[in-house]
Amino acid sequence: MDRDLLRQSLNCHGSSLLSLLRSEQQDNPHFRSLLGSAAEPTRGPPPPQPLQGRKEKRVDNIEIQKFISKKADLLFALSWKSDAPATSEINEDSEDHYAVMPPLEQFMEIPSMDRRELFFRDIERGDIVIGRISSIREFGFFMVLICLGSGIMRDIAHLEITALCPLRDVPSHSNHGDPLSYYQTGDIIRAGIKDIDRYHEKLAVSLYSSSLPPHLSGIKLGVISSEELPLYYRRSVELNSNSLESYENIMQSSLGFVNPGVVEFLLEKLGIDESNPPSLMRGLQSKNFSEDDFASALRKKQSASWALKCVKIGVDYFKVGRHVDAMNEYNKALEIDKQNVEALVARGALYATKGSLNKAIEDFELALENCPNHRNARKYLCQTLVERGGQLEEEEKFLNAESYYKKALTLDETFKDAEDALQKLHKYMQKSLELREKQAEKEEKQKTKKIETSAEKLRKLLKEEKRLKKKRRKSTSSSSSVSSADESVSSSSSSSSSGHKRHKKHKRNRSESSRSSRRHSSSASSSQIDQNRKDECYPVPANTSASFLNHKQEVEKLLGKQDRLQYEKTQIKEKDRCPLSSSSLEIPDDFGGRSEDPRDFYNSCRTQAGSSKTEKPYKSERHFSSRRNSSESFCRNSEDKIYGYRRFEKDIEGRKEHYRRWEPGSVRHSTSPASSDYSWKSVEKYKKYTHSGPRDFSRHEQRYRLNTNQGEYEREDNYGEDIKTEVPEEDALSSKEHSESSVKKNLPQNLLNIFNQIAEFEKEKGNKSKN
Amino acid sequence: MEGWEDCRGGAAAQGPEARPAPEARVQFRVARFIVEAGVNLGMRSIPIATACTIYRKFFCETNLDAYDPYLIAMSSIYLAGKVKEQRLRIRDIINVSNRYFNPSGEPLELDSRFWELRESIVQCELLILRSMLFQVFQHSHKYLLHYLVSLRNWLNRHSWQRTPVAVTVWALLRDSYHRGLCLSFQAQHITVAVLYLALQVYGVEVPAEVEAEKPWWQVFSDDLTKPIIDNIVSDLIQIYTIDTEIPLRPWPGLPKEKPRMVSCLGTLPPRRHDGWSPEE
């Protein structure tokens, strides 16, 4: 309670208000204690009556007193204050912000005596006064005040108030001479009040701005022009010349009155806070308004639930495989509610499913930013990071991959997959370094050896081929065609149709060329199968070795071996991939659960997370089946080759899967058909395979070496045969070109380049074998 | 302005002693609704005042039974926002109103019902505009602020700083729109009366008032007389009496369905439900 204020009011209204207050506010503990003390002056000496005429003024308006007593707790509360800032008085006369009016006393026609008295009561040190110099003496100059420049705006022009500006308060304007010589009688001077003698009505002013309070210190003191006189004074002069003008007329005709911002300006000037509007109604006290009821909060809430609804619809679409519709819903949700976490997570999941891992990561990260504790966002982000890391690893961007794994680990220290992947990567990076060194040595040796032997063998094989050609023209066994489908045409083959064509053409060759390019074909088998099955799910890599296919039996032998050897390895690898890919399966489930019941959702999330660790086999199976279902819609998306690729592999049996894994070179080949490494410069190729397949562990590597060596010879033979038996070199070329021309239509330019290179190579070969 | 006297609402026509008529109670409640919704919508004082005035004016010309007062109130808010250049969105108005009637409820879903309600508000806006004949209202706020500045310069600055006159008059003026004062009296007269009451409450005297040729309140408005001031002050004070007599929020003993602002949807012009006047 504001005691002084209450006392002021009581002084005005007297004891009747006091008794009313006592009865009205008796329940208010503040008032009970206060009223005791407030009552004392009334009991003791009569309250001081500073102004005369109080008795007439005291209207016993019982209605008002009742009102005061009822609202006293509000009216006299300490918080019931206007907080007008002291600085609001700067530049009062900033012209047209509001209607600057002549002083009220001028309209009220208050006698000069009272005005003078009130001026000396209210003037304070630091106020700015404006006056005319009336006389200049050696000790300073006198000025007659005409108006005030700050603080109170009063009409003092005719009060004949003089103020002295002593010499020491006049700044000198030049190095020599009397500072007062600068001033003349009649100059208009702006000065700060330095001293007031209220009793003798004497004022001392200063021209140094140090006499002003800090918020006015920017105002220039000294001589001013008549244009610089305050607006209120000029209006006051106008009023004097036409004293019939009413307050309202002046106000209405003032430009400032129609200023659209006048209300805001004056509210600030008077310290009224519109954002927290005052009211004397109990129901309208600002404490009764909760932030939750405000329009912005409601809108936010509404938008959020609307967005969530869209997300829900989107998830439903997602579940039935309508991914475009789902994406539209997610985007709509995000339009409605820009930072809707659920929409972000759902869209991220969709991106991840579609293979746009970077976009997925972006969404998950944004979601986590908005809601750092969102379990799914964190989980998915980790998984996606690891998956993306895996991709990068395959692209041989090991350092990037590493940073992705690490990022996943910083998000979730316990994320096993990231840790495993990181460790594996580190191991692998070490190993590959060693391997590379070894490889360099071996290559040197092999190169020399191969060239000799292969030439001999070629010749031999070509002869045989020639002989058999006639015999076996019609002996296309069904088994071989099946096997060829299985083994396929190698990753780098042209489109599946052309692959087929050539496949048939060279069937005889194939049946005879025993184990040639076995590795190569097997490495590519998976992709080829997919092509056969699914009709071009992703751009077909360029490798015309598709035509040099081999025996089924041989491949199977090898496959069998490798299977046995590598089965375990594959399992492990599979495990690596599983949680990640299974995540994309979980997403829709989670969302369904979430939108229906958020609490359940978290539970299910937790249990699923748990199960994904403990029940890997189950998970992966689930994953596969779902993949098979959904793969159709994905495979058209050429954007994510690798993703689709992997999926297809999983569709076929695991044994195919590990070919890809074991021979990353071929994978790389298939994913980057334009790679110049694969320019088919003869022997180099196989070296590259062994070279770039360093994931194999040493003993396997040994075997590979063997295989490659063999394959090398046979391959060369094969080439030779190819050319010799089938056609003379010219024909071979033309037939090549012919088959290629059909391919050209649907192959990108880079593939064509490779084809050209191949053609050249074969030309060379043909020449060689002739020689 | 002269014609405004006729528009005095039922409550204003009653003496201060009489209990307000049921119709006045409804009007009071709706006015409170406008004020509260206005605060929740972040409206400034003048748009809120305009909304209240539009609403009052509309029912001066129209029978209260003809339309749902809350729907008219919502349209008034929307229209006031346009008139006073504080653009409000209908969706926000609906949300805030819905919240007012269902304090614990969730925001409405943006379904067909919502769009119907929105359409109703727009239609009502046109209806109001037609009945208003596009007239403009003079509000007291601008006068009040200028009067305050003039008074502040004449009063002792310490006594001004000590006394929360500015806040009090602003509160009184805002509260005055709970009743149709703005239609019954001139804006300047209301302003002066509000100022007069605030000065009285704190026992502030205008210096040299006795010596002055012209009392301060007459300076502000030439045609103002003391009885008019007393009249307005009395009306102002009565607003607070009504405030304590009419339970507003939460509504005790009100039927579960609440004031059914949504129930009027789709039918245009909407019929008013007369259930909503609980006599306690």
Side-chain angles (χ1 to χ4, degrees):
Chain A
M1 289 303 132
D2 191 335
R3 286 160 183 253
D4 292 339
L5 204 57
L6 187 59
R7 188 170 289 136
Q8 183 182 322
S9 181
L10 280 171
N11 278 342
C12 176
H13 292 279
S15 54
S16 59
L17 175 62
L18 186 64
S19 55
L20 274 171
L21 273 174
R22 279 188 177 137
S23 62
E24 279 292 337
Q25 300 286 341
Q26 58 183 340
D27 297 333
N28 190 324
H30 293 285
F31 268 93
R32 233 176 318 167
S33 57
L34 266 174
L35 286 176
S37 65
E40 252 144 56
T42 52
R43 262 185 250 131
Q49 303 205 346
L51 288 176
Q52 37 175 294
R54 163 157 297 248
K55 285 223 162 79
E56 304 106 280
K57 278 308 291 172
R58 180 179 283 176
V59 207
D60 275 325
N61 190 334
I62 193 76
E63 215 181 341
I64 291 178
Q65 287 179 6
K66 271 184 183 164
F67 170 70
I68 297 171
S69 60
K70 275 181 186 158
K71 300 287 178 187
D73 53 329
L74 298 174
L75 287 168
F76 301 106
L78 284 173
S79 56
W80 189 254
K81 281 261 180 248
S82 51
D83 37 58
T87 50
S88 72
E89 293 183 5
I90 313 174
N91 294 329
E92 286 287 283
D93 46 326
S94 45
E95 298 287 331
D96 293 319
H97 284 299
Y98 68 105
V100 179
M101 298 300 294
L104 185 64
E105 63 266 30
Q106 208 175 342
F107 293 102
M108 287 168 73
E109 294 166 37
I110 289 170
S112 303
M113 266 280 290
D114 300 284
R115 290 195 211 179
R116 194 182 172 92
E117 193 182 299
L118 287 167
F119 172 80
F120 277 106
R121 188 192 75 180
D122 294 336
I123 190 80
E124 277 176 24
R125 202 180 288 183
D127 282 346
I128 294 173
V129 290
I130 292 161
R132 274 204 180 82
I133 295 179
S134 54
S135 63
I136 299 174
R137 306 288 167 82
E138 59 272 22
F139 54 85
F141 62 79
F142 287 99
M143 55 191 250
V144 177
L145 302 188
I146 51 176
C147 61
L148 288 146
S150 77
I152 45 174
M153 300 300 176
R154 296 277 171 89
D155 175 29
I156 54 170
H158 307 290
L159 299 183
E160 296 286 319
I161 299 166
T162 53
L164 170 68
C165 185
L167 184 59
R168 63 173 184 276
D169 283 316
V170 180
S172 55
H173 285 267
S174 53
N175 295 333
H176 59 285
D178 183 8
L180 287 177
S181 62
Y182 185 78
Y183 301 94
Q184 288 179 343
T185 310
D187 279 351
I188 303 174
I189 298 289
R190 180 154 55 196
I193 297 279
K194 207 185 157 205
D195 239 326
I196 307 161
D197 183 347
R198 294 184 206 275
Y199 186 72
H200 294 104
E201 299 196 340
K202 278 182 178 163
L203 295 172
V205 295
S206 162
L207 295 184
Y208 286 108
S209 59
S210 57
S211 60
L212 300 178
H215 69 271
L216 293 174
S217 56
I219 289 177
K220 181 197 117 205
L221 298 182
V223 180
I224 59 169
S225 67
S226 57
E227 282 83 45
E228 287 175 86
L229 287 169
L231 188 60
Y232 96 89
Y233 174 71
R234 281 183 271 152
R235 296 246 160 99
S236 158
V237 172
E238 280 169 33
L239 177 65
N240 275 335
S241 64
N242 178 15
S243 54
L244 290 176
E245 214 43 286
S246 73
Y247 184 96
E248 186 165 359
N249 280 347
I250 295 175
M251 183 169 71
Q252 302 261 23
S253 60
S254 164
L255 207 58
F257 191 71
V258 289
N259 168 22
V262 63
V263 173
E264 277 69 35
F265 180 83
L266 288 178
L267 281 173
E268 203 198 321
K269 193 175 154 80
L270 291 164
I272 300 169
D273 183 10
E274 269 278 73
S275 64
N276 195 5
S279 172
L280 287 170
M281 297 207 165
R282 311 222 172 256
L284 291 175
Q285 297 304 302
S286 53
K287 65 175 192 299
N288 289 354
F289 287 95
S290 123
E291 283 289 325
D292 298 342
D293 294 339
F294 277 75
S296 52
L298 289 173
R299 171 176 282 268
K300 211 175 163 192
K301 208 168 158 189
Q302 192 178 43
S303 295
S305 75
W306 189 11
L308 212 61
K309 224 169 150 189
C310 291
V311 174
K312 208 172 161 186
I313 296 169
V315 169
D316 288 342
Y317 279 137
F318 181 88
K319 278 180 181 166
V320 298
R322 291 168 64 182
H323 290 133
V324 176
D325 292 328
M327 182 60 82
N328 283 342
E329 288 296 328
Y330 297 156
N331 284 334
K332 190 172 148 200
L334 286 169
E335 233 167 69
I336 295 163
D337 183 6
K338 247 185 199 151
Q339 309 197 312
N340 189 291
V341 178
E342 299 310 325
L344 282 170
V345 174
R347 195 174 69 175
L350 181 53
Y351 275 136
T353 313
K354 306 283 269 177
S356 309
L357 297 186
N358 282 335
K359 280 183 176 176
I361 289 169
E362 258 173 45
D363 277 354
F364 290 143
E365 277 176 345
L366 194 59
L368 268 186
E369 227 171 76
N370 294 330
C371 178
N373 297 322
H374 198 283
R375 295 177 62 100
N376 269 23
R378 182 179 299 268
K379 190 173 133 200
Y380 297 157
L381 180 55
C382 285
Q383 289 168 343
T384 315
L385 282 169
V386 172
E387 178 149 350
R388 177 71 187 134
Q391 273 187 5
L392 288 167
E393 218 178 294
E394 277 162 16
E395 289 165 21
E396 305 209 333
K397 291 172 183 162
F398 297 117
L399 286 178
N400 285 353
E402 189 188 15
S403 77
Y404 273 85
Y405 293 145
K406 278 183 176 163
K407 212 164 163 189
L409 275 177
T410 54
L411 279 169
D412 182 6
E413 289 167 2
T414 60
F415 193 52
K416 197 83 176 62
D417 298 318
E419 217 176 312
D420 291 347
L422 192 61
Q423 279 175 0
K424 207 166 282 169
L425 178 66
H426 282 154
K427 262 188 208 163
Y428 168 68
M429 280 163 82
Q430 264 187 343
K431 203 155 263 171
S432 70
L433 272 177
E434 292 166 18
L435 273 175
R436 218 159 272 175
E437 283 169 21
K438 276 185 199 168
Q439 210 47 52
E441 291 171 26
K442 279 178 185 170
E443 271 170 27
E444 279 300 307
K445 283 180 197 167
Q446 283 172 11
K447 217 174 190 175
T448 48
K449 198 180 165 192
K450 269 178 202 163
I451 290 167
E452 296 165 24
T453 48
S454 60
E456 259 175 64
K457 196 150 194 183
L458 251 178
R459 243 165 261 142
K460 207 173 114 192
L461 279 170
L462 282 175
K463 258 183 210 167
E464 205 178 6
E465 171 68 16
K466 213 173 186 181
R467 191 165 50 80
L468 287 172
K469 195 182 178 184
K470 287 158 197 166
K471 269 189 196 173
R472 303 193 50 170
R473 188 153 282 168
K474 283 167 190 172
S475 71
T476 21
S477 72
S478 62
S479 67
S480 73
S481 71
V482 167
S483 75
S484 68
D486 257 355
E487 294 149 17
S488 114
V489 197
S490 100
S491 54
S492 48
S493 82
S494 47
S495 81
S496 62
S497 61
S498 78
H500 264 301
K501 268 185 214 161
R502 228 177 281 174
H503 191 89
K504 271 169 194 158
K505 231 184 209 170
H506 298 263
K507 202 147 276 166
R508 197 146 43 96
N509 295 346
R510 236 172 276 126
S511 61
E512 284 189 21
S513 64
S514 47
R515 292 164 65 186
S516 75
S517 66
R518 166 189 8 142
R519 275 198 66 245
H520 185 67
S521 63
S522 60
S523 73
S525 62
S526 54
S527 73
Q528 180 56 34
I529 280 165
D530 294 330
Q531 280 171 18
N532 292 344
R533 267 194 210 165
K534 304 269 181 191
D535 291 327
E536 298 172 6
C537 305
Y538 44 87
V540 182
N543 183 343
T544 43
S545 77
S547 47
F548 312 117
L549 270 190
N550 34 25
H551 264 288
K552 180 200 176 190
Q553 294 87 354
E554 300 291 334
V555 177
E556 277 187 339
K557 244 184 247 165
L558 183 67
L559 284 180
K561 263 192 235 163
Q562 282 182 342
D563 269 351
R564 255 168 275 128
L565 282 164
Q566 295 156 16
Y567 186 70
E568 283 171 25
K569 286 258 147 62
T570 322
Q571 286 295 307
I572 292 160
K573 289 231 163 119
E574 192 75 335
K575 214 176 164 187
D576 285 350
R577 305 280 164 190
C578 257
L580 184 64
S581 36
S582 69
S583 75
S584 57
L585 179 74
E586 278 169 35
I587 290 159
D589 295 344
D590 285 353
F591 268 99
R594 169 146 214 163
S595 37
E596 274 146 36
D597 184 347
R599 220 173 291 157
D600 273 4
F601 164 75
Y602 278 115
N603 290 339
S604 75
C605 163
R606 219 170 293 134
T607 51
Q608 276 183 5
S611 70
S612 73
K613 264 170 199 153
T614 52
E615 297 171 296
K616 279 276 152 65
Y618 161 71
K619 276 277 159 188
S620 58
E621 237 174 66
R622 222 176 117 200
H623 162 71
F624 284 146
S625 59
S626 83
R627 272 292 146 74
R628 229 164 270 135
N629 295 339
S630 55
S631 55
E632 227 157 52
S633 50
F634 292 143
C635 62
R636 279 196 198 95
N637 189 349
S638 62
E639 191 183 1
D640 32 51
K641 277 174 250 171
I642 298 174
Y643 213 87
Y645 197 71
R646 193 172 298 145
R647 186 169 301 121
F648 293 130
E649 280 163 10
K650 282 174 183 164
D651 280 349
I652 22 170
E653 301 87 290
R655 100 184 159 154
K656 251 129 219 159
E657 152 110 11
H658 72 239
Y659 276 115
R660 192 184 59 82
R661 302 235 182 274
W662 279 81
E663 287 152 356
S666 74
V667 171
R668 196 180 51 172
H669 189 86
S670 68
T671 52
S672 57
S675 141
S676 59
D677 289 351
Y678 282 78
S679 52
W680 287 78
K681 292 249 165 88
S682 80
V683 207
E684 292 290 321
K685 183 178 165 258
Y686 273 160
K687 278 179 201 155
K688 211 146 261 163
Y689 272 108
T690 43
H691 183 69
S692 59
R695 255 192 220 189
D696 314 348
F697 299 97
S698 48
R699 55 183 170 145
H700 298 115
E701 188 208 325
Q702 198 60 30
R703 227 189 62 244
Y704 271 110
R705 190 140 314 288
L706 210 85
N707 291 342
T708 37
N709 286 344
Q710 274 183 334
E712 191 67 39
Y713 298 122
E714 283 152 15
R715 236 184 91 75
E716 302 240 330
D717 289 352
N718 210 5
Y719 281 132
E721 265 176 9
D722 224 16
I723 295 150
K724 259 210 170 165
T725 51
E726 227 180 74
V727 268
E729 53 172 315
E730 302 261 327
D731 289 34
L733 263 178
S734 66
S735 78
K736 253 278 108 99
E737 270 158 22
H738 174 71
S739 66
E740 271 164 22
S741 67
S742 68
V743 169
K744 266 174 192 165
K745 279 164 202 156
N746 38 12
L747 282 185
Q749 186 58 38
N750 49 5
L751 295 190
L752 291 176
N753 291 343
I754 291 164
F755 285 178
N756 291 340
Q757 284 172 339
I758 292 159
E760 260 174 40
F761 162 74
E762 280 172 356
K763 207 172 176 179
E764 252 175 51
K765 278 282 157 182
N767 292 339
K768 233 185 206 173
S769 59
K770 265 185 182 173
N771 299 337
Chain B
M1 282 188 197
E2 279 67 38
W4 285 5
E5 303 301 316
D6 310 330
C7 285
R8 296 187 65 165
Q14 315 271 326
E17 271 72 48
R19 276 167 65 88
E23 189 171 283
R25 290 159 171 263
V26 175
Q27 300 291 42
F28 189 87
R29 268 195 211 96
V30 180
R32 166 61 69 90
F33 159 72
I34 293 175
V35 172
E36 280 196 43
V39 172
N40 282 334
L41 283 163
M43 287 166 86
R44 298 187 300 266
S45 295
I46 290 184
I48 291 179
T50 309
C52 290
T53 314
I54 290 172
Y55 170 81
R56 288 274 171 189
K57 191 86 182 127
F58 181 81
F59 278 115
C60 269
E61 329 248 313
T62 323
N63 191 341
L64 186 60
D65 293 323
Y67 300 98
D68 185 319
Y70 286 95
L71 185 63
I72 299 296
M74 287 161 81
S75 290
S76 302
I77 292 173
Y78 183 53
L79 186 57
K82 280 186 179 173
V83 171
K84 292 298 169 186
E85 290 175 8
Q86 183 179 13
R87 199 54 187 264
L88 300 165
R89 294 166 79 174
I90 299 186
R91 189 174 144 200
D92 286 334
I93 296 174
I94 293 174
N95 283 344
V96 164
S97 309
N98 179 56
R99 184 78 169 185
Y100 183 81
F101 296 119
N102 309 289
S104 54
E106 289 296 299
L108 286 177
E109 282 186 12
L110 300 177
D111 51 12
S112 58
R113 215 170 68 123
F114 182 93
W115 297 112
E116 274 172 34
L117 179 51
R118 192 182 189 284
E119 183 60 24
S120 310
I121 291 173
V122 175
Q123 294 294 327
C124 270
E125 184 199 352
L126 297 175
L127 182 74
I128 293 170
L129 272 177
R130 251 179 298 157
S131 79
M132 301 260 95
L133 303 171
F134 303 96
Q135 75 189 82
V136 184
F137 301 102
Q138 274 285 19
H139 284 297
S140 306
H141 302 75
K142 223 169 11 173
Y143 296 106
L144 181 57
L145 292 170
H146 281 94
Y147 296 176
L148 278 172
V149 172
S150 283
L151 266 180
R152 188 178 71 166
N153 278 326
W154 181 233
L155 290 170
N156 179 280
R157 68 188 109 185
H158 296 293
S159 111
W160 180 266
Q161 240 161 37
R162 194 172 58 233
T163 318
V165 172
V167 185
T168 309
V169 291
W170 200 250
L172 285 170
L173 185 58
R174 283 175 61 101
D175 292 343
S176 79
Y177 284 89
H178 279 72
R179 280 178 69 183
L181 288 186
C182 49
L183 297 181
S184 320
F185 300 102
Q186 266 188 51
Q188 293 93 324
H189 294 181
I190 296 172
T191 314
V192 169
V194 162
L195 210 45
Y196 179 86
L197 177 58
L199 293 179
Q200 283 277 302
V201 162
Y202 292 109
V204 177
E205 301 202 14
V206 176
E209 203 179 350
V210 185
E211 292 79 11
E213 296 286 315
K214 214 175 181 182
W216 62 267
W217 42 267
Q218 205 156 33
V219 169
F220 293 135
S221 182
D222 275 332
D223 54 354
L224 187 60
T225 59
K226 197 76 180 31
I228 297 180
I229 295 181
D230 288 341
N231 244 337
I232 300 174
V233 165
S234 152
D235 271 9
L236 277 170
I237 288 172
Q238 223 210 326
I239 287 175
Y240 295 95
T241 319
I242 302 172
D243 179 39
T244 54
E245 280 173 4
I246 299 181
L248 292 147
R249 208 179 162 187
W251 301 274
L254 229 110
K256 264 276 180 277
E257 327 99 80
K258 287 287 158 56
R260 302 135 301 247
M261 62 143 201
V262 184
S263 61
C264 60
L265 306 185
T267 55
L268 269 180
R271 296 278 127 194
R272 183 186 162 266
H273 294 256
D274 44 359
W276 158 234
S277 55
E279 295 300 327
E280 49 284 320

